[in-house]
Every structure is written in structure tokens, then in C-alpha cells.
Coordinates of all heavy atoms in Angstrom, one line a residue:
R1185 N 155.7 88.8 125.8 CA 155.4 87.4 126.0 C 154.5 87.0 124.9 O 153.5 87.6 124.5 CB 154.7 87.3 127.4 CG 154.3 85.9 127.7 CD 153.8 85.8 129.2 NE 152.9 84.7 129.3 CZ 152.8 84.0 130.3 NH1 153.5 84.2 131.4 NH2 152.0 83.0 130.4
N1186 N 154.7 85.8 124.4 CA 154.0 85.2 123.2 C 152.6 84.8 123.7 O 152.4 84.2 124.8 CB 154.7 84.0 122.8 CG 154.1 83.4 121.5 OD1 152.9 83.6 121.2 ND2 154.9 82.6 120.8
S1187 N 151.6 85.2 123.0 CA 150.2 84.9 123.4 C 149.9 83.4 123.3 O 148.8 83.0 123.9 CB 149.2 85.7 122.4 OG 149.3 85.2 121.1
E1188 N 150.7 82.6 122.7 CA 150.5 81.2 122.7 C 151.2 80.4 123.8 O 151.0 79.2 124.0 CB 151.0 80.6 121.3 CG 150.2 81.1 120.1 CD 150.7 80.5 118.8 OE1 151.3 79.5 118.8 OE2 150.4 81.2 117.8
T1189 N 151.9 81.1 124.6 CA 152.6 80.5 125.7 C 151.7 80.3 126.9 O 150.8 81.2 127.2 CB 153.7 81.5 126.2 OG1 154.6 81.7 125.1 CG2 154.5 80.9 127.4
I1190 N 151.7 79.2 127.6 CA 150.9 78.9 128.7 C 151.8 78.9 130.0 O 153.0 78.7 129.9 CB 150.1 77.6 128.6 CG1 151.1 76.4 128.5 CG2 149.2 77.6 127.4 CD1 150.4 75.0 128.5
S1191 N 151.1 79.1 131.1 CA 151.9 79.1 132.4 C 152.3 77.7 132.7 O 151.8 76.7 132.2 CB 151.0 79.7 133.4 OG 149.9 78.7 133.8
G1192 N 153.3 77.6 133.6 CA 153.7 76.3 134.1 C 152.6 75.5 134.7 O 152.5 74.3 134.6
T1193 N 151.7 76.2 135.5 CA 150.6 75.6 136.1 C 149.7 75.0 135.1 O 149.2 73.8 135.3 CB 149.9 76.6 137.0 OG1 150.7 77.1 138.0 CG2 148.7 76.0 137.7
E1194 N 149.4 75.7 134.0 CA 148.5 75.2 133.0 C 149.1 74.1 132.3 O 148.4 73.1 131.9 CB 148.1 76.4 132.0 CG 147.1 76.0 130.9 CD 145.8 75.5 131.5 OE1 145.4 76.0 132.6 OE2 145.2 74.7 130.8
W1195 N 150.4 74.1 132.1 CA 151.1 73.0 131.4 C 151.0 71.7 132.2 O 150.6 70.7 131.7 CB 152.6 73.4 131.2 CG 153.3 72.3 130.4 CD1 153.4 72.2 129.1 CD2 154.0 71.2 131.0 NE1 154.1 71.0 128.7 CE2 154.5 70.4 129.9 CE3 154.3 70.8 132.3 CZ2 155.3 69.3 130.1 CZ3 155.1 69.7 132.4 CH2 155.6 68.9 131.4
Y1196 N 151.2 71.8 133.5 CA 151.1 70.7 134.4 C 149.7 70.1 134.4 O 149.4 68.9 134.4 CB 151.6 70.9 135.8 CG 153.1 70.9 135.9 CD1 153.9 72.1 136.1 CD2 153.8 69.7 135.8 CE1 155.2 72.0 136.2 CE2 155.2 69.6 135.9 CZ 155.9 70.8 136.1 OH 157.3 70.8 136.2
S1197 N 148.7 71.0 134.4 CA 147.3 70.6 134.4 C 147.0 69.9 133.2 O 146.3 68.8 133.2 CB 146.4 71.9 134.6 OG 145.1 71.5 134.5
Q1198 N 147.4 70.4 132.0 CA 147.2 69.7 130.7 C 147.9 68.3 130.7 O 147.3 67.3 130.2 CB 147.8 70.5 129.5 CG 146.9 71.7 129.2 CD 147.6 72.5 128.0 OE1 148.6 72.1 127.5 NE2 146.9 73.5 127.7
Q1199 N 149.1 68.2 131.3 CA 149.7 66.9 131.3 C 149.0 65.9 132.2 O 148.9 64.7 131.9 CB 151.2 67.1 131.8 CG 152.0 67.9 130.9 CD 152.0 67.4 129.4 OE1 152.2 66.2 129.1 NE2 151.6 68.3 128.5
A1200 N 148.5 66.4 133.3 CA 147.7 65.5 134.2 C 146.4 65.0 133.6 O 146.1 63.8 133.7 CB 147.4 66.3 135.5
H1201 N 145.7 65.9 132.9 CA 144.5 65.5 132.2 C 144.8 64.6 131.1 O 144.0 63.6 130.9 CB 143.7 66.8 131.8 CG 143.1 67.6 132.9 ND1 143.4 68.9 133.0 CD2 142.3 67.2 133.9 CE1 142.7 69.4 134.1 NE2 142.1 68.3 134.6
R1202 N 145.8 64.8 130.4 CA 146.2 63.9 129.3 C 146.5 62.5 129.9 O 146.0 61.5 129.3 CB 147.4 64.4 128.6 CG 147.9 63.5 127.4 CD 149.0 64.1 126.6 NE 148.6 65.3 126.1 CZ 149.3 66.4 126.0 NH1 150.6 66.4 126.4 NH2 148.9 67.5 125.5
A1203 N 147.2 62.4 131.0 CA 147.4 61.1 131.6 C 146.2 60.4 132.1 O 146.0 59.2 131.8 CB 148.4 61.3 132.8
V1204 N 145.3 61.2 132.7 CA 144.0 60.6 133.1 C 143.2 60.1 131.9 O 142.7 58.9 131.9 CB 143.2 61.6 133.9 CG1 141.7 61.1 134.1 CG2 143.8 61.9 135.2
N1205 N 143.1 60.9 130.9 CA 142.4 60.5 129.7 C 143.0 59.3 129.0 O 142.3 58.4 128.5 CB 142.2 61.6 128.7 CG 141.2 62.7 129.2 OD1 140.2 62.3 129.7 ND2 141.6 63.9 129.1
Q1206 N 144.3 59.1 129.0 CA 145.0 58.0 128.5 C 144.6 56.7 129.3 O 144.4 55.6 128.7 CB 146.5 58.1 128.4 CG 146.9 59.1 127.3 CD 148.4 59.3 127.3 OE1 149.1 59.1 128.3 NE2 149.0 59.8 126.2
A1207 N 144.6 56.9 130.6 CA 144.2 55.7 131.5 C 142.8 55.3 131.2 O 142.5 54.1 131.1 CB 144.4 56.1 132.9
V1208 N 141.9 56.3 131.0 CA 140.5 56.0 130.7 C 140.4 55.2 129.4 O 139.7 54.2 129.3 CB 139.6 57.3 130.7 CG1 138.3 57.0 130.1 CG2 139.5 57.9 132.0
G1209 N 141.2 55.6 128.4 CA 141.2 55.0 127.2 C 141.7 53.5 127.2 O 141.3 52.7 126.4
R1210 N 142.4 53.2 128.2 CA 142.9 51.8 128.4 C 141.8 50.9 128.9 O 141.9 49.7 128.8 CB 144.2 51.8 129.2 CG 145.3 52.4 128.5 CD 146.6 52.2 129.3 NE 147.7 52.8 128.5 CZ 148.3 54.0 128.7 NH1 147.9 54.7 129.7 NH2 149.3 54.4 127.9
V1211 N 140.9 51.5 129.6 CA 139.8 50.7 130.2 C 138.7 50.5 129.1 O 138.2 49.4 129.0 CB 139.2 51.5 131.4 CG1 137.9 50.7 131.9 CG2 140.2 51.6 132.5
I1212 N 138.3 51.5 128.4 CA 137.3 51.5 127.4 C 137.9 51.6 126.0 O 138.3 52.6 125.7 CB 136.2 52.6 127.6 CG1 135.8 52.7 129.1 CG2 135.1 52.5 126.6 CD1 135.0 51.6 129.5
R1213 N 138.0 50.5 125.3 CA 138.7 50.4 124.1 C 137.7 50.4 122.9 O 138.1 50.9 121.8 CB 139.6 49.3 124.0 CG 140.7 49.4 125.1 CD 141.6 48.3 125.1 NE 142.4 48.3 123.9 CZ 143.6 48.1 123.8 NH1 144.4 48.0 124.9 NH2 144.2 48.1 122.6
H1214 N 136.5 49.9 123.0 CA 135.6 50.0 121.9 C 134.1 50.0 122.5 O 134.0 49.9 123.7 CB 135.7 48.8 120.9 CG 135.6 47.5 121.5 ND1 134.3 46.9 121.8 CD2 136.5 46.5 121.7 CE1 134.5 45.7 122.2 NE2 135.8 45.4 122.2
R1215 N 133.2 50.2 121.7 CA 131.8 50.5 122.2 C 131.2 49.3 123.0 O 130.2 49.5 123.7 CB 130.9 50.9 121.1 CG 130.6 49.9 120.0 CD 129.8 50.4 118.9 NE 129.6 49.4 117.9 CZ 128.4 49.2 117.4 NH1 127.4 49.9 117.7 NH2 128.3 48.2 116.5
F1216 N 131.7 48.1 122.9 CA 131.1 47.0 123.6 C 131.9 46.7 124.9 O 131.5 45.8 125.7 CB 131.1 45.7 122.8 CG 130.2 45.9 121.6 CD1 130.7 45.9 120.3 CD2 128.8 46.0 121.7 CE1 129.9 46.0 119.2 CE2 128.0 46.2 120.6 CZ 128.5 46.2 119.4
D1217 N 132.9 47.5 125.2 CA 133.7 47.4 126.4 C 132.9 48.1 127.6 O 132.1 49.0 127.3 CB 135.0 48.0 126.3 CG 136.1 47.1 125.7 OD1 135.8 45.9 125.5 OD2 137.2 47.6 125.4
Y1218 N 133.1 47.6 128.8 CA 132.6 48.4 129.9 C 133.7 48.2 131.0 O 134.4 47.3 131.1 CB 131.3 47.9 130.3 CG 131.1 46.5 130.7 CD1 131.3 46.1 132.1 CD2 130.8 45.5 129.8 CE1 131.2 44.8 132.4 CE2 130.7 44.2 130.2 CZ 130.9 43.8 131.5 OH 130.8 42.5 131.8
G1219 N 133.8 49.3 131.8 CA 134.7 49.2 132.9 C 134.4 50.4 133.8 O 133.7 51.4 133.4
A1220 N 135.0 50.4 135.0 CA 134.8 51.5 136.0 C 136.1 52.2 136.1 O 137.1 51.6 136.2 CB 134.3 51.0 137.3
I1221 N 136.1 53.5 136.2 CA 137.2 54.3 136.4 C 136.9 55.1 137.7 O 136.0 55.8 137.7 CB 137.5 55.3 135.2 CG1 137.7 54.5 133.9 CG2 138.7 56.2 135.5 CD1 136.8 54.8 132.8
I1222 N 137.8 54.9 138.7 CA 137.6 55.6 139.9 C 138.6 56.7 140.1 O 139.8 56.3 140.2 CB 137.6 54.6 141.1 CG1 136.5 53.5 140.9 CG2 137.4 55.3 142.4 CD1 136.5 52.4 141.9
L1223 N 138.2 57.9 140.1 CA 139.1 59.0 140.2 C 139.1 59.5 141.7 O 138.2 60.2 142.1 CB 138.7 60.2 139.3 CG 138.6 59.8 137.8 CD1 138.1 61.0 137.0 CD2 140.0 59.5 137.3
M1224 N 140.0 58.9 142.5 CA 139.9 59.2 143.9 C 140.7 60.4 144.3 O 141.8 60.4 144.9 CB 140.4 58.0 144.7 CG 139.5 56.8 144.5 SD 140.0 55.3 145.4 CE 139.5 55.9 147.1
D1225 N 140.3 61.5 143.8 CA 141.0 62.8 144.0 C 139.9 63.9 144.1 O 139.1 64.1 143.1 CB 141.9 63.1 142.8 CG 142.8 64.3 143.1 OD1 142.4 65.3 143.7 OD2 144.0 64.2 142.7
S1226 N 139.8 64.6 145.2 CA 138.7 65.6 145.4 C 138.8 66.7 144.4 O 137.9 67.4 144.1 CB 138.8 66.1 146.8 OG 140.1 66.8 147.0
R1227 N 140.0 66.9 143.7 CA 140.1 67.9 142.7 C 139.2 67.8 141.5 O 138.9 68.7 140.8 CB 141.6 68.1 142.3 CG 142.5 68.6 143.4 CD 143.9 68.6 143.0 NE 144.4 67.3 143.0 CZ 145.7 67.0 142.9 NH1 146.6 67.9 142.7 NH2 146.0 65.7 142.9
F1228 N 138.7 66.5 141.3 CA 137.8 66.3 140.2 C 136.4 66.8 140.5 O 135.5 66.8 139.7 CB 137.8 64.8 139.8 CG 139.0 64.4 139.0 CD1 140.0 63.6 139.6 CD2 139.3 64.9 137.8 CE1 141.1 63.3 139.0 CE2 140.4 64.5 137.1 CZ 141.4 63.7 137.7
G1229 N 136.2 67.2 141.7 CA 135.0 67.9 142.1 C 134.9 69.3 141.6 O 133.8 69.9 141.5
D1230 N 136.1 69.9 141.2 CA 136.1 71.2 140.6 C 135.7 71.2 139.1 O 136.3 70.3 138.4 CB 137.5 71.8 140.7 CG 137.9 72.0 142.2 OD1 137.1 72.1 143.1 OD2 139.1 72.0 142.4
A1231 N 134.9 72.0 138.7 CA 134.4 72.1 137.3 C 135.6 72.3 136.4 O 135.7 71.7 135.3 CB 133.4 73.2 137.1
R1232 N 136.6 73.1 136.8 CA 137.8 73.3 136.0 C 138.6 72.0 135.7 O 139.1 71.8 134.6 CB 138.7 74.3 136.7 CG 140.0 74.6 136.1 CD 140.8 75.6 136.9 NE 141.1 75.1 138.2 CZ 142.3 74.5 138.6 NH1 143.2 74.4 137.7 NH2 142.5 74.1 139.8
N1233 N 138.6 71.1 136.6 CA 139.3 69.8 136.4 C 138.5 68.8 135.6 O 139.0 68.0 134.9 CB 139.8 69.3 137.7 CG 140.9 70.0 138.3 OD1 141.8 70.4 137.6 ND2 140.9 70.3 139.6
R1234 N 137.1 68.9 135.9 CA 136.3 68.0 135.1 C 136.3 68.3 133.6 O 136.2 67.5 132.7 CB 134.8 68.0 135.6 CG 134.7 67.3 136.9 CD 133.2 67.1 137.3 NE 132.4 68.3 137.3 CZ 132.3 69.2 138.3 NH1 132.9 68.9 139.4 NH2 131.6 70.3 138.2
E1235 N 136.5 69.6 133.3 CA 136.5 70.1 131.9 C 137.7 69.5 131.1 O 137.7 69.4 129.9 CB 136.6 71.6 131.8 CG 135.2 72.2 132.2 CD 135.3 73.7 132.3 OE1 136.4 74.3 132.0 OE2 134.3 74.3 132.7
G1236 N 138.7 69.1 131.8 CA 139.9 68.4 131.2 C 139.7 67.0 130.9 O 140.5 66.4 130.2
I1237 N 138.7 66.4 131.4 CA 138.3 65.0 131.1 C 137.6 64.9 129.8 O 136.8 65.8 129.4 CB 137.5 64.4 132.3 CG1 138.2 64.6 133.6 CG2 137.1 63.0 132.0 CD1 139.5 63.9 133.7
S1238 N 137.8 63.8 129.1 CA 137.2 63.6 127.8 C 135.7 63.9 127.9 O 135.0 63.4 128.8 CB 137.4 62.2 127.3 OG 138.8 62.0 127.0
K1239 N 135.1 64.5 126.8 CA 133.7 64.9 126.9 C 132.8 63.7 127.1 O 131.8 63.9 127.7 CB 133.4 65.7 125.6 CG 133.9 67.0 125.5 CD 133.6 67.7 124.2 CE 134.2 69.1 124.2 NZ 133.9 69.8 122.9
W1240 N 133.1 62.6 126.5 CA 132.2 61.4 126.6 C 132.2 60.8 128.0 O 131.3 60.1 128.3 CB 132.5 60.4 125.5 CG 133.9 59.8 125.7 CD1 135.1 60.2 125.2 CD2 134.2 58.5 126.3 NE1 136.1 59.4 125.5 CE2 135.6 58.3 126.2 CE3 133.5 57.6 127.1 CZ2 136.2 57.2 126.8 CZ3 134.1 56.6 127.6 CH2 135.4 56.4 127.5
V1241 N 133.2 61.1 128.8 CA 133.2 60.6 130.1 C 132.5 61.5 131.1 O 131.9 61.1 132.1 CB 134.7 60.4 130.6 CG1 134.8 60.0 132.0 CG2 135.4 59.4 129.7
R1242 N 132.6 62.8 130.9 CA 132.0 63.8 131.8 C 130.6 63.5 132.4 O 130.4 63.6 133.6 CB 132.1 65.2 131.2 CG 133.5 65.7 131.1 CD 133.4 67.1 130.5 NE 134.6 67.4 129.7 CZ 134.7 68.3 128.8 NH1 133.7 69.2 128.6 NH2 135.8 68.5 128.2
P1243 N 129.7 63.1 131.5 CA 128.3 62.9 132.1 C 128.3 61.8 133.1 O 127.3 61.7 133.9 CB 127.5 62.5 130.8 CG 128.2 63.0 129.7 CD 129.7 63.0 130.1
A1244 N 129.2 60.9 133.1 CA 129.2 59.7 134.0 C 130.0 60.0 135.3 O 129.9 59.2 136.2 CB 129.8 58.5 133.3
I1245 N 130.6 61.2 135.4 CA 131.4 61.5 136.7 C 130.4 61.7 137.8 O 129.4 62.4 137.7 CB 132.2 62.7 136.5 CG1 133.3 62.5 135.4 CG2 132.9 63.2 137.8 CD1 134.2 63.7 135.1
Q1246 N 130.6 61.0 138.9 CA 129.8 61.2 140.1 C 130.6 61.7 141.2 O 131.7 61.4 141.4 CB 129.2 59.8 140.4 CG 128.3 59.2 139.4 CD 127.8 57.8 139.7 OE1 128.0 57.4 140.9 NE2 127.2 57.1 138.8
A1247 N 129.9 62.5 142.1 CA 130.6 63.1 143.2 C 130.8 62.0 144.2 O 130.1 61.0 144.3 CB 129.7 64.2 143.8
D1248 N 131.8 62.2 145.1 CA 132.2 61.3 146.1 C 131.0 61.3 147.2 O 130.7 62.4 147.8 CB 133.5 61.7 146.8 CG 133.9 60.9 148.0 OD1 133.3 59.8 148.2 OD2 134.7 61.4 148.8
E1249 N 130.4 60.2 147.4 CA 129.4 60.1 148.5 C 129.8 59.0 149.5 O 128.9 58.4 150.1 CB 128.1 59.7 147.8 CG 127.6 60.9 146.9 CD 126.2 60.5 146.3 OE1 125.7 59.4 146.5 OE2 125.7 61.4 145.5
G1250 N 131.1 58.7 149.6 CA 131.6 57.7 150.5 C 131.9 56.4 149.9 O 131.3 56.1 148.8
M1251 N 132.7 55.6 150.5 CA 133.1 54.3 150.0 C 132.0 53.3 149.9 O 131.9 52.6 148.9 CB 134.2 53.7 150.9 CG 135.0 52.7 150.2 SD 135.7 53.3 148.7 CE 136.9 52.0 148.4
G1252 N 131.1 53.3 150.8 CA 130.0 52.4 150.7 C 129.1 52.6 149.5 O 128.7 51.6 148.8
R1253 N 128.8 53.8 149.2 CA 128.0 54.1 148.0 C 128.8 53.8 146.8 O 128.2 53.3 145.8 CB 127.6 55.6 148.0 CG 126.5 55.9 148.9 CD 125.8 57.1 148.4 NE 124.7 57.4 149.3 CZ 123.5 57.7 148.9 NH1 123.2 57.7 147.7 NH2 122.6 58.0 149.8
A1254 N 130.1 54.0 146.8 CA 130.9 53.7 145.6 C 130.9 52.2 145.3 O 130.7 51.8 144.2 CB 132.4 54.2 145.8
I1255 N 131.0 51.4 146.4 CA 131.0 50.0 146.2 C 129.7 49.5 145.7 O 129.6 48.6 144.8 CB 131.5 49.2 147.5 CG1 133.0 49.5 147.7 CG2 131.2 47.7 147.4 CD1 133.5 49.1 149.1
S1256 N 128.6 50.0 146.3 CA 127.3 49.5 145.9 C 127.0 50.0 144.4 O 126.4 49.3 143.6 CB 126.2 49.9 146.8 OG 126.1 51.4 146.9
G1257 N 127.5 51.2 144.1 CA 127.3 51.7 142.7 C 128.1 50.9 141.7 O 127.6 50.6 140.6
L1258 N 129.3 50.4 142.1 CA 130.1 49.6 141.2 C 129.4 48.2 141.0 O 129.4 47.7 139.9 CB 131.5 49.4 141.8 CG 132.5 50.5 141.6 CD1 133.8 50.3 142.4 CD2 132.8 50.6 140.1
A1259 N 128.9 47.6 142.1 CA 128.2 46.4 142.0 C 127.0 46.4 141.1 O 126.8 45.6 140.2 CB 127.8 45.9 143.4
K1260 N 126.3 47.5 141.2 CA 125.1 47.7 140.4 C 125.5 47.9 138.9 O 124.9 47.3 138.0 CB 124.3 48.9 140.8 CG 123.1 49.2 140.0 CD 122.4 50.4 140.5 CE 121.2 50.7 139.6 NZ 120.8 52.1 139.4
F1261 N 126.5 48.7 138.7 CA 127.1 48.9 137.3 C 127.5 47.6 136.6 O 127.0 47.3 135.5 CB 128.3 49.9 137.4 CG 129.0 50.0 136.1 CD1 128.5 50.7 135.0 CD2 130.2 49.3 135.9 CE1 129.2 50.8 133.8 CE2 130.9 49.4 134.7 CZ 130.4 50.1 133.7
Y1262 N 128.2 46.8 137.3 CA 128.7 45.5 136.7 C 127.5 44.5 136.5 O 127.5 43.8 135.6 CB 129.8 44.9 137.5 CG 131.1 45.6 137.2 CD1 131.8 46.5 138.0 CD2 131.7 45.4 136.0 CE1 132.9 47.1 137.7 CE2 132.9 46.0 135.6 CZ 133.5 46.8 136.5 OH 134.7 47.5 136.1
R1263 N 126.6 44.5 137.5 CA 125.4 43.6 137.3 C 124.7 44.0 136.0 O 124.3 43.1 135.2 CB 124.5 43.7 138.5 CG 124.8 42.8 139.6 CD 123.6 42.7 140.6 NE 123.1 44.0 141.1 CZ 123.6 44.7 142.1 NH1 124.6 44.3 142.8 NH2 123.0 45.9 142.4
E1264 N 124.4 45.3 135.9 CA 123.7 45.8 134.7 C 124.5 45.6 133.4 O 123.9 45.2 132.4 CB 123.3 47.2 134.9 CG 122.3 47.4 135.9 CD 122.0 48.9 136.2 OE1 122.6 49.8 135.6 OE2 121.1 49.2 137.1
A1265 N 125.8 45.8 133.5 CA 126.6 45.7 132.3 C 126.7 44.2 131.8 O 126.7 43.9 130.7 CB 128.0 46.2 132.5
K1266 N 126.8 43.3 132.8 CA 126.9 41.9 132.5 C 125.6 41.4 131.9 O 125.7 40.5 131.1 CB 127.2 41.1 133.8 CG 127.5 39.7 133.6 CD 127.9 39.0 134.9 CE 128.1 37.6 134.8 NZ 128.5 36.9 136.0
S1267 N 124.5 41.9 132.3 CA 123.2 41.4 131.8 C 122.8 42.1 130.5 O 121.8 41.6 129.9 CB 122.1 41.7 132.9 OG 121.8 43.0 133.0
D1268 N 123.5 43.1 130.0 CA 123.2 43.8 128.8 C 124.2 43.2 127.7 O 125.3 43.7 127.6 CB 123.4 45.3 129.0 CG 123.0 46.1 127.7 OD1 122.2 45.5 126.9 OD2 123.4 47.2 127.7
P1269 N 123.7 42.3 126.8 CA 124.6 41.7 125.8 C 125.1 42.7 124.8 O 125.0 43.5 124.3 CB 123.7 40.7 125.2 CG 122.3 40.9 125.6 CD 122.4 41.8 126.8

């Protein structure tokens, strides 16, 4: 077996991470943009899956603490982003 060959599972994982990162890139296009990306999948709680996300996004990933917290966090984020020219 070729040492450069990856398993089918790893291939699918890479494709999924690539798609997520492309979607993130459509929200944030330049340094003055702001937007929220909600990854509603518990698998992003696994370090292995967070590592597939772009490095600049990783520090902003927050654990699921319920829909109420998510909505209040989004409201706060947009209030602060709107007031920061």
C-alpha cells in the first residue's frame, strides 16, 4: 500500500472540512467583514473535527450551550460589530 494513500474515511473527512471552510470563506471575505457561522453539528465538539477548520476560525468556536445562549450571543456579537467602525 502506498504511504501517501488515505483511507476512505479520511478522504470524506477532508472533503467535509473543505466544504465547511469554503462556506466560512463566503461569509468573511475581507478584514472589515463580519458574520456569524453556526455549525449545528455535535461532531465539531471533537478536537479531531475542529482541527479541520481553518486556523483563524478555531479560536472563535464555542461549545453548544443551548439555543437561548446562541441567540443572545449572536445578538451581542452583531451589536458589538455594528458599533465598531
Side-chain angles (χ1 to χ4, degrees):
R1185 184 173 152 143
N1186 185 340
S1187 64
E1188 295 180 23
T1189 303
I1190 61 173
S1191 70
T1193 300
E1194 183 61 27
W1195 185 86
Y1196 279 108
S1197 179
Q1198 285 180 0
Q1199 297 307 306
H1201 289 126
R1202 181 174 300 140
V1204 169
N1205 287 317
Q1206 286 176 340
V1208 168
R1210 289 186 178 104
V1211 174
I1212 311 295
R1213 298 179 64 133
H1214 62 74
R1215 66 186 180 130
F1216 297 114
D1217 278 350
Y1218 59 91
I1221 300 125
I1222 301 172
L1223 304 172
M1224 297 184 70
D1225 190 322
S1226 61
R1227 291 175 287 190
F1228 288 106
D1230 297 336
R1232 178 178 60 97
N1233 288 319
R1234 285 192 308 272
E1235 289 172 5
I1237 302 300
S1238 295
K1239 288 180 182 179
W1240 64 272
V1241 175
R1242 290 181 209 164
I1245 294 176
Q1246 298 176 8
D1248 175 19
E1249 295 179 2
M1251 195 60 164
R1253 284 204 184 229
I1255 291 171
S1256 64
L1258 281 171
K1260 180 181 180 213
F1261 169 78
Y1262 280 106
R1263 274 194 310 274
E1264 291 173 359
K1266 186 177 179 182
S1267 67
D1268 185 18

